[in-house]
Amino acid sequence: MITLWGRDSSINVQKVMWCLDELGLAHERKDAGGAFGYPADYAAMNPNPLVPTLEEDGFTLWESNVIVRYLCAKHAAGTLYPEDLRVRADAERWMDWQTTNATAAMRDVFWNLVRLKPEERDAAATAKSTEASESKARILDAHLATRPYMAGDTFTMADIPIGLHLNRWYLLPIERPDLPHARAYCERVRARPGAKTVMALPLT
């Protein structure tokens, strides 16, 4: 039995929710983090503490993109988890880029416009982050001009974190340029059954 710990408002939890639905895996999700707090024994599973954490038959795993890789390797080798080493490395590169580059660029604009009260907002940080997140979206738009999905012609594990990142960018209350390839890609992945639930959630 698979148990996913984490609140559904977390984009990192949403990655695993989408992956589990994409793979058709039965699971139970338990709210944790944010307003829900953590159970007393949570640190034994995840010492950070952060969400998500996955439990499966006595095995625990944290770090959202690693969980997605694990599930895809176990249940979708050759499809979501590419067999070709170079294609798989390409997919993993974009997954890591989402964590280390794209998320960092968007953090301040998201926090200021979504999670902070108007009187608490930092206008300069918001403007800087808006510009930085647009630059990352332009990188994606250029990449997606040559392929329908992040690693090529088919949907892979890379499209889960990237799809959610772009979806969040499009939901932010900001002005943005028309990036046709990024927009078409976002519409493409939003149509997937596994994505519909998480991408319909409001930003909180």
Side-chain angles (χ1 to χ4, degrees), residues 69-84:
R69 289 183 180 112
Y70 166 76
L71 291 171
C72 290
K74 183 174 181 179
H75 299 283
T79 54
L80 272 66
Y81 190 81
E83 289 183 344
D84 183 279

Side-chain angles (χ1 to χ4, degrees), residues 72-101:
C72 290
K74 183 174 181 179
H75 299 283
T79 54
L80 272 66
Y81 190 81
E83 289 183 344
D84 183 279
L85 181 60
R86 291 186 176 183
V87 177
R88 187 163 72 242
D90 189 28
E92 293 191 286
R93 164 175 53 190
W94 285 107
M95 295 174 79
D96 288 351
W97 177 87
Q98 178 271 325
T99 299
T100 60
N101 285 271

Side-chain angles (χ1 to χ4, degrees), residues 109-110 113-114 121 130 168-176 203:
V109 63
F110 172 76
L113 298 185
V114 176
R121 294 171 181 170
T130 299
R168 173 169 281 192
W169 186 66
Y170 277 110
L171 292 177
L172 285 172
I174 59 173
E175 292 186 7
R176 61 186 64 77
L203 295 183

Side-chain angles (χ1 to χ4, degrees), residues 74-155:
K74 183 174 181 179
H75 299 283
T79 54
L80 272 66
Y81 190 81
E83 289 183 344
D84 183 279
L85 181 60
R86 291 186 176 183
V87 177
R88 187 163 72 242
D90 189 28
E92 293 191 286
R93 164 175 53 190
W94 285 107
M95 295 174 79
D96 288 351
W97 177 87
Q98 178 271 325
T99 299
T100 60
N101 285 271
T103 295
M106 193 189 293
R107 182 177 293 113
D108 284 344
V109 63
F110 172 76
W111 272 92
N112 276 277
L113 298 185
V114 176
R115 293 193 172 167
L116 294 180
K117 298 176 182 177
E119 63 271 19
E120 298 173 332
R121 294 171 181 170
D122 183 330
T126 301
K128 183 177 180 180
S129 179
T130 299
E131 182 179 354
S133 61
E134 180 182 315
S135 73
K136 303 306 178 185
R138 289 186 181 278
I139 289 173
L140 291 173
D141 187 69
H143 180 70
L144 291 163
T146 62
R147 67 205 71 205
Y149 296 101
M150 291 306 298
D153 292 333
T154 60
F155 182 91

